[in-house]
Amino acid sequence: MSTRTTTSAAELRAIADVVDKFNIPSVKVTGGQRIDMLGVKKEDLPAVWADLNAAGLVSGAAYAKGLRTVKTCVGSDWCRFGTQDSTGLGIKLERLLWGSWTPAKVKLGVSGCPRNCAEATCKDVGVVCVDSGYEIHFAGAAGLEVRKTDLLGNVRTEGEAIAVIAAIVQLYREQGRYLERIWKWAKRIGNDTVREQCLEDRDRRQALYERFLYSQQFAQTDPWAERVAGKDAHEFAPLADLTTARQEALV
Amino acid sequence: MTVTLAATWIDIGPLDAIPRNGARVLKTAMECVAVFRTASDEVYGLRDQCPHKQGPLSQGIVHGHFVTCPLHSWVFDLRTGAVEGPDEGSTPAYPVRVEQGRILLDIAALAGPASA
Ligand code: HEM
Ligand code: SF4
């Protein structure tokens, strides 16, 4: 789906039309709250991407070691337990972070209260909303290794939560080694160092946040749109097709 | 595309259509052929299918006169289709050559059992 956690009737209709038009054999909801369209023929991909782009659907998050998805619960808009707009924060975080490259994949979750329906406490960075603001958790994992997050600390406003999270990702990008997930990097340099630099030291946090914002200007390109526009066209078309025109020459 | 009349060699496209150290697919009634171009502009053709788990060799990594299958990293000699050790096996190789910037393929080899 697009780079966010919600969808709409128009988007679902566009997806359904593409599935019909290109005979896509399998459609699946992913663990990160996206829609998989599996088994597209490679030669159909540019046309599939063109149709989805035309419906306003943008790809672009997960084609690298980089941001995967930000998983959210419904939060205060629709849940009686919700303390903050977890869906809204998740969308803001995803819009900010998509396309960024990182040493290993980065998964986020935002839950609207400690009941934690978005399972934020097994993510690389997780937010648990509380009445007084936002608990920021980090260094979780749920893959080959399963690891509960550690609490980095609390902030009062959504803006602060966003700045702290971008600072964590930036510090990780600057220090992490290839394939070293956030929890491994944090273990190497120490949770206290991350806390000090991304939460407590305001100047340091702001500098990291600004560096992240600066580099994102160059990172957020939609690889679908580039290929619809003709990039790497040779990747998708055969060199020649002898199945029809040339068949008589073969016998 | 034009059929070269004197032989069974047919023109399947310009050399430029394949990136260096890359490959493109030639679709035929029998099967797909991966046509490779090496860094030094040699051109080779192999059945676009690894004998191990049917990986598309056209999407493998080309290095020297070898290609590594994208699925499980079996390495094929582009000249013969033979798999490098320790894996064993081979995929058919088809005669292709370049003349005046055009890639030619011998369709006689395609029609019958492959030579390699
Ligand atoms: C001239 C020196 C070196 C060369 C040419 C070299 C080459 C390589 C190559 C070709 C790989 C495989 C990459 C792959 O599977 O895609 C590799 C992996 C690796 N190398 Fe080296 N290496 C060198 C030095 C070192 C040193 C000094 C260390 C550690 C102190 C090291 C640690 C590793 C590790 C841990 C991996 C596995 C990485 C992974 O699993 O992704 N290498 N190296
Ligand atoms: S985490 Fe809390 S706010 Fe979110 S859906 Fe669950 S109970 Fe509701």
Side-chain angles (χ1 to χ4, degrees):
Chain A
M1 215 188 318
S2 62
T3 50
R4 63 204 144 74
T5 176
T6 56
T7 186
S8 67
E11 286 180 354
L12 290 172
R13 219 167 267 127
I15 291 169
D17 287 344
V18 170
V19 170
D20 282 345
K21 182 167 162 188
F22 296 95
N23 257 320
I24 297 174
S26 181
V27 181
K28 183 190 175 303
V29 176
T30 75
Q33 301 180 328
R34 302 306 126 119
I35 295 178
D36 268 341
M37 299 160 78
L38 301 166
V40 183
K41 288 205 253 352
K42 186 171 177 183
E43 61 204 59
D44 288 342
L45 282 174
V48 166
W49 291 332
D51 282 7
L52 293 173
N53 270 346
L57 293 162
V58 177
S59 168
Y63 294 107
K65 296 297 177 195
L67 179 77
R68 288 288 180 269
T69 68
V70 184
K71 184 175 181 178
T72 61
C73 76
V74 290
S76 55
D77 274 2
W78 298 104
C79 177
R80 68 191 170 115
F81 296 118
T83 60
Q84 313 284 350
D85 177 15
S86 49
T87 303
L89 174 56
I91 292 172
K92 282 180 193 148
L93 284 169
E94 188 150 333
R95 291 227 161 104
L96 174 71
L97 298 171
W98 77 265
S100 59
W101 287 6
T102 43
K105 66 186 167 189
V106 172
K107 295 178 170 181
L108 271 71
V110 184
S111 287
C113 80
R115 288 167 191 78
N116 197 12
C117 294
E119 296 157 342
T121 49
C122 64
K123 302 291 186 227
D124 295 278
V125 181
V127 179
V128 175
C129 301
V130 288
D131 283 326
S132 60
Y134 303 83
E135 283 177 0
I136 298 175
H137 299 254
F138 77 123
L144 282 175
E145 305 273 347
V146 181
R147 203 178 175 284
K148 184 186 183 308
T149 46
D150 299 323
L151 180 64
L152 186 80
N154 290 41
V155 295
R156 285 191 180 285
T157 67
E158 192 182 76
E160 276 178 289
I162 289 170
V164 169
I165 290 167
I168 297 171
V169 173
Q170 182 62 21
L171 190 63
Y172 167 55
R173 275 158 33 123
E174 292 177 10
Q175 299 185 343
R177 296 172 184 157
Y178 182 57
L179 299 182
E180 187 178 54
R181 290 283 292 271
I182 282 190
W183 70 270
K184 290 187 189 166
W185 159 72
K187 198 163 121 187
R188 180 160 62 79
I189 68 160
N191 281 2
D192 290 342
T193 312
V194 181
R195 185 172 296 112
E196 197 180 291
Q197 301 203 18
C198 300
L199 184 70
E200 289 164 359
D201 180 341
R202 297 297 174 94
D203 293 341
R204 176 79 171 132
R205 176 216 288 182
Q206 187 61 22
L208 286 164
Y209 182 35
E210 280 168 16
R211 287 213 286 281
F212 184 79
L213 291 179
Y214 181 77
S215 79
Q216 280 298 77
Q217 295 172 62
F218 312 101
Q220 290 188 319
T221 53
D222 174 4
W224 292 4
E226 287 177 344
R227 276 152 188 83
V228 170
K231 188 175 181 194
D232 291 339
H234 64 83
E235 278 280 339
F236 302 99
L239 176 65
D241 186 349
L242 303 184
T243 52
T244 48
R246 297 250 67 86
Q247 215 152 8
E248 71 281 9
L250 293 171
V251 284
Chain B
M1 289 187 296
T2 52
V3 177
T4 43
L5 293 173
T8 55
W9 293 91
I10 60 164
D11 184 331
I12 55 170
L15 178 64
D16 290 350
I18 307 178
R20 285 211 171 99
N21 277 336
R24 297 282 299 276
V25 171
L26 171 72
K27 285 190 170 180
T28 79
M30 273 72 71
E31 63 186 28
C32 288
V33 178
V35 186
F36 299 90
R37 176 181 178 186
T38 67
S40 48
D41 285 346
E42 286 134 12
V43 171
Y44 299 101
L46 295 185
R47 174 183 289 169
D48 191 18
Q49 204 181 67
C50 178
H52 175 216
K53 302 262 174 171
Q54 289 73 54
L57 298 179
S58 58
Q59 295 185 39
I61 293 174
V62 179
H63 43 102
H65 51 85
F66 296 95
V67 62
T68 295
C69 178
L71 293 197
H72 306 95
S73 301
W74 281 27
V75 177
F76 295 80
D77 190 326
L78 295 174
R79 300 169 301 184
T80 61
V83 175
E84 297 291 292
D87 303 309
E88 287 174 11
S90 71
T91 194
Y94 296 109
V96 281
R97 61 189 166 94
V98 178
E99 220 164 79
Q100 291 166 346
R102 306 291 302 184
I103 304 167
L104 307 179
L105 172 112
D106 182 3
I107 52 166
L110 262 184
S115 52

